[in-house]
Amino acid sequence: MISALALDSQGTLFVSQELPDCMGKILRLEADGRGTEVLTGLSKPDGQVMFRDGLVTGQEGGALPVLWLRDDHSETLFEADSVEGVATDGHLLYAIEDRPQGRLLRYGPDTRQLRVLREGLDEGEGVAVCPDGRLFYTEKAKGWVKQWQPAGQDPLVVESLNTPGFVVCTKDGVWITEDATHGTRLLLLDPSGHLQVILQHLRAPQAIVPFDSGRYLLAEQGRNRILEIFRLPNGS
């Protein structure tokens, strides 16, 4: 039940095991593939991001806290309902709720203020902040990706997708995974606006994270594995 991935500045990989009813856990993967438990007793931990020398994780299992793990100690940042995706711009945290009538949230750790950016979302799964400040989010039940606008009227960026899940923004563009059990894809919306199919015939792909120049890690939950994706020398 691998779901979310996060890499710290030392290259350590944190992996969430998306199990329900307080059976979920976060593992730290060693170079030889062994996993060490760093946080347990979670309910469907899903969505992770490194933040201020710690790891922030949401829980999709209901109205539960978003937690911040630092120096082997966890603290509650805020509570929300069925948090799937989390992201940060380095200063603020963003979260999205995977439920009918879900919300897109922004949390300021310094002020401890939680603000609702959007509500009434239909199973929001992914949220991503770009280096230039653009904010994207997915609604799985609607099959689309939108870009949040401070003044409202969020424009559609991509539509007619098969249950879009995680979304990540890097210099290569906006990465999107389709969270279904059969025949799904890893997509890249490149800087020119062209939607590329990078991988297909996946089973429940989840988080994708960059870990080196031109290299990415992808969690494929339906096959219980992590894939490494990289560009060939010819740029393909």
Side-chain angles (χ1 to χ4, degrees):
M1 292 300 292
I2 185 170
S3 183
L5 305 174
L7 277 163
D8 69 10
S9 59
Q10 305 302 312
T12 301
L13 179 64
F14 295 89
V15 175
S16 73
Q17 301 280 273
E18 194 191 353
L19 298 168
D21 303 325
C22 298
M23 295 186 296
K25 61 187 70 174
I26 306 295
L27 305 178
R28 180 175 58 234
L29 291 190
E30 311 299 339
D32 61 3
R34 291 182 298 113
T36 302
E37 295 181 358
V38 296
L39 192 59
T40 61
L42 306 176
S43 294
K44 300 189 70 176
D46 207 356
Q48 294 183 153
V49 67
M50 302 308 303
F51 180 73
R52 295 184 181 177
D53 299 319
L55 176 73
V56 173
T57 182
Q59 299 183 78
E60 197 191 346
L64 294 163
V66 172
L67 300 172
W68 191 10
L69 177 67
R70 293 185 296 169
D71 300 322
D72 297 322
H73 172 74
S74 67
E75 64 178 275
T76 295
L77 294 177
F78 60 94
E79 291 194 0
D81 193 345
S82 306
V83 168
E84 173 106 2
V86 292
T88 183
D89 59 5
H91 304 285
L92 302 170
L93 289 164
Y94 299 84
I96 195 165
E97 296 175 328
D98 183 9
R99 64 183 183 91
Q101 298 299 308
R103 301 173 297 169
L104 176 63
L105 306 168
R106 183 172 68 197
Y107 177 74
D110 296 328
T111 62
R112 296 187 178 274
Q113 290 185 342
L114 183 65
R115 180 182 174 188
V116 178
L117 300 181
R118 289 291 175 270
E119 55 188 350
L121 303 180
D122 201 351
E123 297 182 35
E125 279 221 9
V127 58
V129 187
C130 296
D132 61 9
R134 289 176 298 157
L135 179 65
F136 295 93
Y137 64 91
T138 67
E139 286 183 81
K140 180 172 66 175
K142 297 291 189 182
W144 62 37
V145 179
K146 284 187 169 183
Q147 182 179 347
W148 180 76
Q149 299 290 332
Q153 299 298 321
D154 301 339
L156 278 172
V157 177
V158 185
E159 57 184 329
S160 301
L161 300 177
N162 182 8
T163 59
F166 281 80
V167 59
V168 174
C169 188
T170 71
K171 62 181 180 61
D172 291 318
V174 179
W175 296 85
I176 307 159
T177 60
E178 293 181 319
D179 184 10
T181 52
H182 297 287
T184 53
R185 303 170 295 173
L186 171 65
L187 305 164
L188 174 62
L189 182 67
D190 66 26
S192 71
H194 176 61
L195 187 65
Q196 303 179 32
V197 177
I198 305 299
L199 294 175
Q200 51 189 340
H201 306 299
L202 298 172
R203 295 189 64 182
Q206 302 292 309
I208 179 170
V209 294
F211 80 100
D212 200 356
S213 180
R215 292 175 178 265
Y216 293 85
L217 297 177
L218 173 67
E220 189 180 11
Q221 188 177 87
R223 293 189 173 99
N224 302 313
R225 63 184 183 176
I226 300 173
L227 303 177
E228 178 184 343
I229 302 161
F230 56 91
R231 291 186 181 274
L232 298 176
N234 64 5
S236 60

